Structure formats: structure tokens, C-alpha cells
């Protein structure tokens, strides 16, 4: 049996300031830190073994992972391949400014279109996230926690079900700050289940 818990980082300063995230290295707000503590408490109630914890290497995910690791009395590692989609020179810019320059992908080029001039394509982003998930899956760890970003979470789930890249260009899984998803592979059929997605009830009132 393998259990994988996917966590979207909690509220970060760029959310409050309405700035473009991507690889912009924004830290958690005070509210985000309280949310991270609530995420850690919720995971401690769900997991009865010592998990292997890995996060994106950006500050907001590392700070969320730190709270989770502290709840289990363990440490965590970071992987740059779990980062959010890069928006290049648009990162850290006001959202309204960026939205005027952003272009949606055409139907015939969902994977290789650059929505912002020097940002990542979906194919580039998905390729590195799939690479990270291959590395994570190879570890002999029955319980794992992955701390990543809102858009990146979609492709963590897509990699889990072995969705081909061409098909994954169409998927979008709703993610909110501090949401938890539970993915599970049984030890007989090796079926990969999605037990629940984006549960954020532990953040009520925070």
C-alpha cells in the first residue's frame, strides 16, 4: 500500500499583494503560517506512520513543509522540479498588469504555447513535474507528503494516474491554498485511487 498526500502551500504574501507568483519567491503571511499549522494538524490525524516529506524549493512551499515536518518530528527535502509554472519576467508584477499581456493557449497548441513571452510552456512544466514524480515514486516509502503549488498540483495528480502528456494538456484540478488531496495505490491490484481532492475543511475560520 502506498499513500500520497498532496498539499498546496498556504496563503503567501503575493496572494495578498495581488502579484504574479510562478517562481517569484514569496513567503507565507501570518495567516498562511496559521493555515500551515492547521494543515500539519490535519495530516497528523490522517497519517499513522512517519511520512517522507518533499516540497518545491520555493519559500512558500518550504515554509508549509516545515510546519508539517515539525508535527511529525522529522525533516523534509526540496525539489525544484515541483515548482509552479514559471511566468518569466512577469513574476512579481501586479496581476492586473500581467493579465493584459497574458494570452490563452489556442486549441491546436495547448502544450507548446507561451502564454507569457518568456514563461514556461505547459509541456516544459509538465515534463519536470512528471520527472519529479518518477523520482518520488521510486522511493521505498509507504507514506509520502508532497507540498507544491496550485497549478502544479494538477500535474502531480496527472502523473499519479499516468496520464500521457498530450492528454494532460486538457486537465485542470481545482486547488486552493492549504488544500489536501489523498492518493492511494493498493498493494494487490496496484490500482491508483484518488481518495479525495483539495479538502480544505481544516482551514475553516482561519
Amino acid at each position: 500500500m502506498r499513500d500520497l498526500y498532496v498539499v498546496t502551500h498556504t496563503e503567501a504574501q503575493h496572494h495578498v499583494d495581488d502579484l504574479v507568483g510562478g517562481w517569484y519567491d514569496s513567503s507565507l503571511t501570518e495567516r498562511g503560517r496559521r493555515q500551515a499549522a492547521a494543515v500539519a494538524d490535519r495530516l497528523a490525524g490522517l497519517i499513522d506512520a512517519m511520512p517522507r516529506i518533499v516540497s518545491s524549493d520555493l519559500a512558500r512551499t518550504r515554509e508549509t513543509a516545515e510546519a508539517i515536518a515539525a508535527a511529525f518530528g522529522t525533516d523534509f527535502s526540496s525539489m525544484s522540479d515541483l515548482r509552479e509554472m514559471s511566468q518569466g519576467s512577469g513574476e512579481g508584477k501586479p496581476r492586473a498588469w500581467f493579465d493584459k499581456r497574458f494570452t490563452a493557449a489556442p486549441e491546436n497548441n495547448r502544450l507548446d504555447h507561451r502564454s507569457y513571452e518568456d514563461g514556461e510552456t505547459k509541456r516544459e512544466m509538465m515534463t519536470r513535474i512528471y520527472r519529479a514524480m518518477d523520482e518520488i515514486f521510486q522511493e521505498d516509502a509507504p507514506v509520502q507528503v508532497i507540498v507544491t503549488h496550485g497549478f502544479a498540483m494538477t500535474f502531480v495528480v496527472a502523473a499519479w494516474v499516468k496520464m500521457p502528456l498530450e492528454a494532460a494538456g486538457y486537465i485542470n484540478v481545482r486547488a486552493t491554498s492549504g488544500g489536501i488531496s489523498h492518493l492511494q495505490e493498493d498493494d494487490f491490484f496496484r490500482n491508483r485511487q484518488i481518495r479525495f481532492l483539495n479538502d480544505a475543511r481544516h482551514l475553516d475560520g482561519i
Side-chain angles (χ1 to χ4, degrees):
M1 187 79 73
R2 179 192 292 264
D3 288 282
L4 186 66
Y5 294 87
V6 185
V7 176
T8 305
H9 71 79
T10 55
E11 185 186 81
Q13 191 61 46
H14 75 276
H15 293 153
V16 175
D17 295 339
D18 202 22
L19 302 178
V20 176
W23 294 8
Y24 179 64
D25 211 10
S26 174
S27 292
L28 298 183
T29 62
E30 286 304 314
R31 179 171 181 252
R33 293 183 185 281
R34 294 195 300 274
Q35 291 175 332
V39 169
D41 286 346
R42 176 59 177 151
L43 288 173
L46 290 170
I47 299 171
D48 59 4
M50 184 64 72
R52 164 83 164 86
I53 304 169
V54 60
S55 82
S56 153
D57 66 341
L58 295 176
R60 55 195 185 269
T61 45
R62 287 189 290 101
E63 290 167 5
T64 304
E66 284 171 3
I68 297 167
F72 287 96
T74 188
D75 56 8
F76 69 96
S77 61
S78 298
M79 300 176 69
S80 61
D81 277 347
L82 290 172
R83 288 184 177 191
E84 185 60 285
M85 175 179 270
S86 171
Q87 299 298 344
S89 58
E91 293 165 352
K93 296 286 198 306
R95 174 59 63 178
W97 178 94
F98 180 81
D99 287 348
K100 292 178 181 177
R101 294 159 176 81
F102 182 91
T103 59
E107 186 64 23
N108 65 351
N109 189 16
R110 298 186 64 86
L111 295 183
D112 298 308
H113 171 77
R114 295 192 192 280
S115 294
Y116 186 72
E117 55 187 12
D118 58 351
E120 278 188 303
T121 66
K122 269 191 176 181
R123 187 187 302 276
E124 290 167 343
M125 180 193 188
M126 289 189 293
T127 297
R128 62 175 169 78
I129 291 177
Y130 274 47
R131 181 171 62 227
M133 296 305 293
D134 283 343
E135 184 175 334
I136 289 168
F137 292 156
Q138 288 170 11
E139 294 186 8
D140 184 19
V143 183
Q144 294 166 295
V145 176
I146 296 175
V147 186
T148 188
H149 304 261
F151 189 47
M153 188 272 272
T154 285
F155 304 112
V156 169
V157 174
W160 173 254
V161 298
K162 296 183 178 292
M163 183 177 291
L165 287 184
E166 297 296 330
Y170 289 87
I171 188 175
N172 185 46
V173 178
R174 181 175 179 269
T176 54
S177 298
I180 300 172
S181 299
H182 182 193
L183 314 176
Q184 186 178 74
E185 181 182 70
D186 73 76
D187 57 4
F188 185 76
F189 294 106
R190 301 296 182 189
N191 291 329
R192 292 189 171 185
Q193 303 179 51
I194 300 175
R195 299 296 301 272
F196 59 78
L197 286 172
N198 195 47
D199 183 1
R201 291 172 294 176
H202 48 281
L203 302 180
D204 289 349
I206 299 178

